[in-house]
Amino acid sequence: MPDFSLEAGILKKGYSDIAGIDEVGRGSWAGPVVAAAVVFPKEKWPNIIKAGINDSKKLSPKRRQYLYDIIQNNAYVGVGLASNHEIDQINILQATFLAMNRSIEDLSIIPKYCLIDGNEIPPNNRTAEAVVKGDGVSFSIAAASIIAKVTRDRLMIKLGLSFPVYAWDRNMGYGTKKHREGLERFGVTEYHRKTYKPIINILSSNNC
């Protein structure tokens, strides 16, 4: 389970306003990659400890929705997106960094230190550290994973209303059997990532 140990250690070093940052959607075939930045004021820590926040992947959709509201009421929250077109233009890693930077810019405060899930940090972010599997270590990163996941799921469900044949309301743009069948029957939409191999293969077969 995550806790505030990392944040407490960074506070002792003299940094305040510590942001946890995570993203969702890197492996999806369609839609944006979404990042979130979450800063918990220290006086709100007891509320978060009591709430039992965890890595979004370990939570049910109903639990994520519940914790999403708790986070919004107890933290500064920023969200950043990089579109499928940007992913195709600059690649998924750079688009992820772009979404992360946008999530930081979306905060109503300027964080003094960032804890970023994974093993890489966006360029030029000197007061940051990468935390491997950070959503299972830090409450701030776990909260960011929940905000990013709920935000992206809502977006993909909304897009899915216009493109029901791909079942985005259930697969969120990931490569399920239903999604592949929709691609094979109806082709590629403006929201698909055209530099991803499965989409390249569909486009190539349609051009034959």
Side-chain angles (χ1 to χ4, degrees):
M1 289 288 292
D3 58 29
F4 278 120
S5 296
L6 275 177
E7 291 87 339
I10 294 166
L11 282 175
K12 288 180 180 179
K13 295 178 182 179
Y15 293 101
S16 60
D17 302 328
I18 302 159
I21 300 170
D22 201 1
E23 54 71 32
V24 67
R26 289 182 67 164
S28 178
W29 293 358
V33 60
V34 177
V38 174
V39 178
F40 288 116
K42 189 174 181 182
E43 64 269 20
K44 299 291 187 179
W45 286 11
N47 296 348
I48 301 310
I49 294 169
K50 183 179 179 181
I53 285 173
N54 203 351
D55 173 5
S56 65
K57 296 185 292 296
K58 298 180 180 179
L59 303 171
S60 68
K62 184 177 180 179
R63 182 68 178 169
R64 284 196 296 265
Q65 295 283 351
Y66 168 75
L67 291 173
Y68 176 94
D69 292 334
I70 288 179
I71 296 162
Q72 292 284 2
N73 290 330
N74 287 276
Y76 299 99
V77 175
V79 174
L81 285 71
S83 72
N84 57 295
H85 302 297
E86 290 173 316
I87 293 168
D88 289 338
Q89 289 168 1
I90 61 177
N91 75 48
I92 185 58
L93 177 60
Q94 297 306 316
T96 299
F97 289 158
L98 181 62
M100 286 180 172
N101 285 333
R102 286 172 174 169
S103 74
I104 296 170
E105 292 168 0
D106 191 51
L107 287 167
S108 60
I109 62 170
I110 300 174
K112 307 302 187 298
Y113 200 95
C114 296
L115 295 169
I116 299 174
D117 185 61
N119 58 8
E120 296 183 272
I121 62 175
N124 302 320
N125 197 330
R126 296 179 182 177
T127 53
E129 66 179 278
V131 184
V132 176
K133 297 183 179 179
D135 42 14
V137 175
S138 158
F139 272 138
S140 300
I141 298 176
S145 77
I146 292 168
I147 296 294
K149 174 65 174 169
V150 172
T151 299
R152 190 177 189 278
D153 283 0
R154 289 175 178 177
L155 188 154
M156 293 307 298
I157 290 169
K158 185 176 180 179
L159 287 178
L161 296 175
S162 300
F163 300 94
V165 296
Y166 305 101
W168 290 344
D169 60 322
R170 297 190 297 279
N171 60 46
M172 307 307 164
Y174 285 84
T176 63
K177 180 181 178 182
K178 183 71 174 177
H179 193 172
R180 184 180 291 276
E181 289 174 350
L183 282 165
E184 291 172 350
R185 289 187 62 192
F186 299 98
V188 175
T189 73
E190 62 182 298
Y191 296 104
H192 280 101
R193 302 176 184 179
K194 297 176 177 61
T195 53
Y196 273 39
K197 188 173 181 179
I199 310 305
I200 292 172
N201 292 341
I202 293 293
L203 291 171
S204 299
S205 63
N206 289 346
N207 290 331
C208 293

